[in-house]
Amino acid sequence: MGDTVVHLHKSPEPPAEPATVTRLTVVPDPAPAATVPVWVRSGRAIKTAVTHETTKAAARGVARHSLYVFGGAKIVGRRAWDGRTAARYERMLRAAEAAGNHEAAAEWEERGQRYREARHRRRMDLIHSPLDVAKGAAVSAGMGIGGLVLLGIAMAIATKDATDVVTPLMAVIGFINLMITIVRVVWGPALTIGPFLALLALWSVGAHQQAAPQWALPASIRTGEGEPITPSIVVKALRDLGVPALRKAITEMGDAGASMLSPIVIAGCGVEVDVSLPSGVSTIEVQNKRRKLAENLSRHEHEVFITIPQAARTVRLWVADSGALDEPIGPSPLVTDETLTADYTKGRAPWGQDLRGDAALLSVFQRMVLVTGMSNQGKTAALRALALWLALDRTVEFRIADLKGVGDWAMFDGLASVLIQGPTDDHVIQATEMVEDGVQEMNRRLQAPPGTAFPPLILLVDEAQVAFMCPVKDDEKRPYGGSSQTSRYFMACRKIHNQGRAVNVLLWQGTQDPTDQNLPKLVREGAHTRASLALGTESQAVMALGEKAVNGGAAPHLLRPGLDKGTLVVSSDGIEIPKGQASITVRTHYIDNDTAAAIADRAKALRDGVATVHAIERGEERDPLADIAAVVGDAARMRTKDVLPRLAALNPEAYGGWSFLNLTRVLEGTGAEPYKSDGVMVVSRDRLARALAERDADGSASAAG
């Protein structure tokens, strides 16, 4: 209960009464507010102070600078031990043995032996040195005193004062006394300050080497943001990679693994180093740990590339500067240099930059091209950049089928002789006929006289997976899509891949998400230049680039979809690839639609004018089976070599390019196939008539049904 307070109030004096009356009023004390115990508030304050970031930073700072002294002492002690013993030679010997370099091991063993012999001689000399020093000191002292006396005698003769004989000797004694006095004055403070100077020196060594635990280092160093790549960082990253044999070998190496590394060199927006793996560690073990290695190097996975150079049991690491790969590269030379022209035979297309920052130049001379990747990653832009460069060679003819049809290739109208744009089955049919016309042109060129020169013909199909997946069949029941021996688009691609390069008829294709269905194996392996943007799986990477390239370190499946747009992994003999590698990563120049149209206008100005066909004109519909029966006529049978010229005479446009294979393909499955009679291939009139009758009967039955 609170105390009662008594207040005295003085009432106003009435004018009629002169006496003053004092009243007493009892006022209760207000109820006290709820209070928090002092120890609870103190505990909260202490907890807040301990968890505050400033407090934690101060604690880390105190711990860090204290540990710098201990770390510096450890480093200085190790250096002193190395200087006084043969430990350095033993470490290098073990490192050479672990690396399997027996020649270097023998050399370090010899050096260590020479060091021990020299040390033994020095120690033996120390045994005899006290006596030699004493003798030398006595002789030196005698000669010194004698010299001082002679100097004194000379002074005495000169001054005619006998006391000057000892003046030089006394001067030396006085100097010695002065030195002793100085030492006595300085010795005390030196004993006091010396330990602090020694601690400061140890702290300096420890701070320079960052000799403190990771948790005590500053935030910028703990995160590794922008941390430069040094030999110690690389070795530590390899040691902590999780490969037991590698960790054991590094631990046993006397130089802590430094002998495994080549000199670290600047390579574009990063650095490059070759790592010679010790015996028992395979390159695939390191490749499979790419993400962990990147994190150990304080980098993101996409900033570390592991390839296999020519040297055995060696991996080549390229480590980007932090964030460098997220910066765009400069514009294409096609944009910056309006005088630039192309040369199909000897020129190289400025496609982009490699990871070193050097220009990535691609030769397309007699090379089939395949560019694949996930949707919306820059496939069309990469393929179009090559075509725009080559269009600046006025001798090159383009026939283009864009099976997406959103206008990405519209600037080639008036530049390409054929331009098909659209995603429907009818567009696929037209694209197939365009490629088949290319086959006919190839056959015509192959049959030309030797030495005939042919201008380049580029058959370019973008979104080619649409053609391979087309379910439509022609009148002869042959599918346009698929990958069978009767698939029209597939077989046309195969024929051009087989022989087209010899007469400069080339097929360039762009596809999405490769599979065995939308990009058959025989087609993808027929391309000389294979490039891939970001993909989803390693199996797709193998389809896109081939098993050899992926085993050699090519990893388009590790590119970041959306973030690495336009970045290609290229496998081709048309681009300069570092020796020993199977692929190279290229960051392509992006050319937007408006800029592409401007470059296309420059290409059109080099030509006299090109009339672009937007659809393949189909001639009069022919019935090959009926035409064959017509040319055979009344003969019981006719040699195939006589049937072909008669068909060509009947309709040169339809049958002018036919060969025995075309004839066999048409008659296959009809019952009227060519057969051998008297050693020559012939066709039978009766079999042809029977095949026509059966076909007509089947057609009538189908119509009735």
Side-chain angles (χ1 to χ4, degrees):
M1 179 177 179
D3 297 334
T4 301
V5 180
V6 179
H7 297 276
L8 297 177
H9 295 276
K10 188 175 182 179
S11 301
E13 298 179 0
E17 297 181 2
T20 302
V21 179
T22 302
R23 299 178 182 179
L24 296 176
T25 305
V26 178
V27 180
D29 189 28
T35 58
V36 178
V38 174
W39 65 270
V40 174
R41 285 181 285 152
S42 300
R44 291 175 180 171
I46 293 172
K47 181 179 179 181
T48 303
V50 170
T51 57
H52 195 274
E53 187 60 34
T54 303
T55 305
K56 292 192 289 184
R60 279 197 300 266
V62 172
R64 177 171 65 253
H65 291 288
S66 301
L67 293 170
Y68 279 164
V69 177
F70 293 100
K74 184 178 179 181
I75 294 171
V76 171
R78 188 186 305 115
R79 291 174 180 174
W81 178 258
D82 288 345
R84 299 289 297 175
T85 67
R88 178 185 295 107
Y89 301 97
E90 293 293 337
R91 284 201 306 271
M92 299 304 292
L93 173 60
R94 289 196 299 271
E97 288 177 344
N101 192 342
H102 301 293
E103 183 178 350
E107 181 181 353
W108 283 111
E109 184 178 14
E110 183 181 353
R111 290 185 181 183
Q113 186 62 32
R114 289 201 301 266
Y115 171 82
R116 293 186 185 92
E117 291 176 357
R119 183 180 60 184
H120 176 71
R121 287 195 300 269
R122 289 194 300 270
R123 288 177 177 176
M124 295 302 296
D125 292 341
L126 287 176
I127 297 176
H128 304 286
S129 60
L131 182 60
D132 295 337
V133 169
K135 290 180 179 179
V139 173
S140 299
M143 294 179 62
I145 294 173
L148 292 173
V149 171
L150 290 175
L151 180 61
I153 293 172
M155 291 177 61
I157 294 173
T159 60
K160 297 182 171 45
D161 186 357
T163 59
D164 285 342
V165 173
V166 295
T167 297
L169 188 60
M170 295 306 296
V172 172
I173 294 173
F175 177 76
I176 294 173
N177 184 57
L178 176 62
M179 292 296 101
I180 293 173
T181 303
I182 293 174
V183 170
R184 290 176 61 186
V185 172
V186 174
W187 185 253
L191 289 177
T192 303
I193 300 174
F196 294 100
L197 294 177
L199 289 175
L200 180 62
L202 295 176
W203 175 88
S204 178
V205 173
H208 181 71
Q209 298 291 335
Q210 299 292 338
Q214 190 74 10
W215 58 266
L217 296 176
S220 60
I221 298 178
R222 289 200 313 274
T223 59
E225 186 69 26
E227 185 178 13
I229 300 300
T230 62
S232 60
I233 289 176
V234 175
V235 171
K236 186 175 182 297
L238 293 169
R239 185 195 66 193
D240 299 337
L241 203 54
V243 180
L246 181 58
R247 183 181 185 89
K248 181 180 179 182
I250 293 176
T251 303
E252 292 177 351
M253 290 181 183
D255 62 346
S259 61
M260 297 193 308
L261 307 183
S262 70
I264 298 177
V265 297
I266 296 176
C269 58
V271 297
E272 190 174 77
V273 58
D274 284 355
V275 181
S276 299
L277 299 177
S279 178
V281 181
S282 67
T283 55
I284 192 66
E285 290 181 282
V286 178
Q287 284 183 296
N288 290 339
K289 299 279 188 177
R290 180 186 176 189
R291 174 175 293 181
K292 190 169 185 179
L293 178 61
E295 292 172 351
N296 290 349
L297 293 170
S298 301
R299 294 295 191 272
H300 296 290
E301 184 178 11
H302 72 276
E303 294 176 328
V304 175
F305 288 82
I306 306 173
T307 54
I308 309 300
Q310 192 173 16
R313 211 171 65 224
T314 302
V315 293
R316 177 167 295 161
L317 306 181
W318 185 87
V319 184
D321 298 335
S322 184
L325 293 184
D326 296 327
E327 298 293 330
I329 64 174
S332 169
L334 295 175
V335 178
T336 58
D337 185 2
E338 295 187 357
T339 63
L340 186 68
T341 58
D343 185 344
Y344 164 76
T345 305
K346 300 179 181 178
R348 290 178 176 266
W351 212 4
Q353 293 180 0
D354 61 16
L355 296 178
R356 292 171 168 265
D358 299 330
L361 306 176
L362 178 71
S363 170
V364 297
F365 175 65
Q366 293 188 344
R367 289 179 175 88
M368 312 290 174
V369 177
L370 173 65
V371 179
T372 187
M374 298 174 68
S375 177
N376 195 31
Q377 297 303 308
K379 166 182 54 63
T380 296
L383 192 60
R384 189 175 66 185
L386 289 179
L388 286 171
W389 173 79
L390 190 56
L392 296 175
D393 183 342
R394 65 190 308 272
T395 65
V396 178
E397 178 188 355
F398 286 94
R399 299 181 187 177
I400 299 174
D402 174 16
L403 297 181
K404 182 164 54 177
V406 295
D408 289 335
W409 296 89
M411 68 287 301
F412 278 80
D413 192 356
L415 185 58
S417 58
V418 176
L419 180 60
I420 300 166
Q421 299 181 91
T424 67
D425 290 340
D426 191 55
H427 292 101
V428 171
I429 294 172
Q430 294 180 22
T432 302
E433 292 174 348
M434 180 192 80
V435 178
E436 289 177 338
D437 287 347
V439 174
Q440 291 184 10
E441 174 63 17
M442 175 190 73
N443 291 333
R444 184 189 68 81
R445 295 183 178 190
L446 288 170
Q447 296 172 15
T452 304
F454 301 105
L457 172 60
I458 307 299
L459 304 170
L460 194 153
V461 181
D462 196 10
E463 306 296 342
Q465 76 279 355
V466 178
F468 285 113
M469 299 300 291
C470 180
V472 177
K473 296 183 179 181
D474 63 10
D475 295 337
E476 299 176 9
K477 307 301 181 183
R478 291 183 300 158
Y480 286 93
S483 57
S484 67
Q485 295 299 316
T486 59
S487 299
R488 292 180 59 177
Y489 183 78
F490 170 76
M491 290 305 298
C493 293
R494 289 293 300 132
K495 290 174 182 178
I496 293 177
H497 280 168
N498 288 340
Q499 296 178 303
R501 64 181 300 271
V503 288
N504 291 329
V505 177
L506 305 178
L507 178 63
W508 293 6
Q509 296 183 96
T511 67
Q512 282 185 22
D513 289 332
T515 65
D516 284 330
Q517 289 71 39
N518 65 23
L519 187 59
K521 179 177 176 154
L522 292 178
V523 171
R524 62 182 184 246
E525 291 187 351
H528 305 96
T529 295
R530 300 167 72 174
S532 176
L533 296 133
L535 288 172
T537 64
E538 184 175 349
S539 61
Q540 286 185 313
V542 173
M543 292 181 188
L545 300 176
E547 191 170 356
K548 179 180 178 182
V550 174
N551 290 341
H557 55 289
L558 296 181
L559 295 174
R560 302 167 298 167
L563 297 177
D564 290 326
K565 278 188 176 182
T567 300
L568 288 166
V569 182
V570 183
S571 176
S572 172
D573 61 349
I575 193 170
E576 185 176 352
I577 297 177
K579 192 173 183 181
Q581 295 181 202
S583 64
I584 187 171
T585 301
V586 176
R587 303 172 69 196
T588 59
H589 296 295
Y590 175 69
I591 303 175
D592 59 37
N593 288 348
D594 293 338
T595 307
I599 298 172
D601 289 340
R602 284 160 39 197
K604 294 173 187 176
L606 298 175
R607 292 165 169 80
D608 296 331
V610 177
T612 300
V613 176
H614 294 88
I616 302 298
E617 297 180 359
R618 300 184 180 92
E620 178 187 357
E621 293 292 338
R622 304 295 304 183
D623 184 348
L625 187 59
D627 287 342
I628 294 172
V631 299
V632 171
D634 296 332
R637 57 180 179 269
M638 181 178 291
R639 292 187 299 179
T640 55
K641 71 174 186 178
D642 294 332
V643 173
L644 291 173
R646 293 193 180 194
L647 283 172
L650 177 65
N651 192 313
E653 183 179 353
Y655 305 119
W658 270 37
S659 65
F660 175 75
L661 293 177
N662 298 94
L663 183 63
T664 303
R665 187 182 64 188
V666 168
L667 297 177
E668 185 177 5
T670 64
E673 295 87 350
Y675 63 95
K676 186 172 288 188
S677 175
D678 296 330
V680 295
M681 297 300 295
V682 299
V683 292
S684 168
R685 177 195 62 193
D686 296 337
R687 293 183 182 184
L688 287 169
R690 188 163 47 249
L692 284 170
E694 291 176 355
R695 188 186 68 178
D696 293 341
D698 292 341
S700 300
S702 299

